[in-house]
């Protein structure tokens, strides 16, 4: 039986390629949100400053997508941005959306629908006006609804508020 001189190098190349591919996949899956331009889940946001609360009722167009009660929170940098009108890098705004349950003339909070997050980083998020956007489903800290669709799902609407640094909400007095 004649042995092919190329069989060993070809097999070795295939094995090395597979190993490199696995290493790349393992590295990519272990990167932090800061390394992948993902917006991180805002741990402890309910301890931040409460900006305001709203209640969307039937007939309000955003109701179908974003829900009923919405509580807005900001970290220290975001609160300074609300006061000055200019949000610096590191500002984080959270839009916590919950069902509204109406019973016996009382409206109370139900299940969490989503948590929308805006993170200011002018360099990292150049294509979306300096803001990173994400929406976490329900109570999940990992199930993301926006990912690569930030321009169409978030920024195109927020860009209408350019005069307010792409932020709709105002700090309640």
């Amino acid at each position: 039986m004649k042995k092919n001189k190329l069989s060993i190098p070809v097999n070795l190349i295939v094995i090395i390629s597979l190993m490199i591919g696995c290493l790349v996949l393992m590295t990519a899956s272990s990167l932090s949100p800061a390394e992948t331009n993902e917006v991180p889940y805002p741990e402890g946001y309910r301890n931040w400053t409460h900006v305001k609360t709203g209640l969307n009722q039937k007939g309000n167009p955003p109701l179908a997508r974003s829900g009923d009660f919405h509580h807005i929170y900001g970290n220290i940098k975001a609160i300074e941005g609300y006061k000055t009108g200019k949000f610096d890098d590191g500002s984080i705004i959270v839009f916590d959306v919950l069902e509204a349950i109406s019973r016996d003339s009382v409206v109370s909070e139900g299940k969490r629908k989503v948590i929308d997050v805006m993170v200011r980083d002018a360099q990292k998020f150049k294509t979306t006006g300096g803001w990173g956007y994400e929406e976490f489903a329900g109570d999940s800290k990992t199930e993301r609804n926006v990912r690569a669709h930030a321009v169409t799902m978030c920024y195109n609407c927020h860009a209408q508020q350019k005069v307010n640094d792409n932020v709709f909400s105002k700090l309640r007095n």
Side-chain angles (χ1 to χ4, degrees):
M1 175 178 226
K2 188 174 178 184
K3 194 169 187 177
N4 185 345
K5 291 182 181 180
L6 292 177
S7 67
I8 292 176
V10 170
N11 289 341
L12 187 59
I13 290 170
V14 169
I15 290 170
I16 290 172
S17 297
L18 288 171
M19 290 172 59
I20 290 171
C22 288
L23 183 60
V24 167
L25 286 173
M26 287 172 28
T27 302
S29 67
S30 66
L31 293 175
S32 72
E35 297 167 304
T36 62
N37 287 350
E38 282 191 347
V39 170
Y41 183 87
E43 294 289 349
Y45 71 91
R46 297 219 18 184
N47 294 318
W48 297 352
T49 300
H50 177 256
V51 173
K52 69 187 312 180
T53 294
L55 176 62
N56 292 332
Q57 296 181 324
K58 288 183 173 70
N60 185 337
L63 179 65
R65 192 190 87 63
S66 65
D68 307 298
F69 274 112
H70 57 271
H71 304 291
I72 301 173
Y73 299 90
N75 68 357
I76 291 171
K77 285 190 174 190
I79 298 306
E80 189 58 34
Y82 278 112
K83 292 175 181 176
T84 65
K86 170 76 174 85
F87 292 83
D88 290 332
D89 284 358
S91 296
I92 305 173
I93 299 171
V94 176
F95 190 75
D96 190 6
V97 181
L98 302 113
E99 293 177 337
I101 300 171
S102 183
R103 189 174 305 133
D104 300 327
S105 300
V106 174
V107 180
S108 57
E109 295 177 355
K111 294 187 308 188
R112 175 169 287 111
K113 291 179 144 186
V114 296
I115 295 175
D116 290 342
V117 183
M118 294 174 63
V119 174
R120 180 75 172 166
D121 187 320
Q123 290 301 312
K124 190 186 296 186
F125 303 114
K126 288 179 185 177
T127 61
T128 52
W131 286 98
Y133 299 92
E134 188 55 80
E135 180 177 86
F136 294 89
D139 288 322
S140 176
K141 295 181 180 184
T142 58
E143 187 180 340
R144 297 166 177 272
N145 295 336
V146 172
R147 294 201 177 264
H149 305 288
V151 171
T152 56
M153 289 182 71
C154 305
Y155 178 66
N156 286 345
C157 190
H158 279 267
Q160 299 169 27
Q161 293 296 315
K162 189 170 187 161
V163 69
N164 297 317
D165 212 358
N166 300 338
V167 176
F168 282 95
S169 54
K170 304 282 186 237
L171 186 62
R172 182 177 173 202
N173 294 330

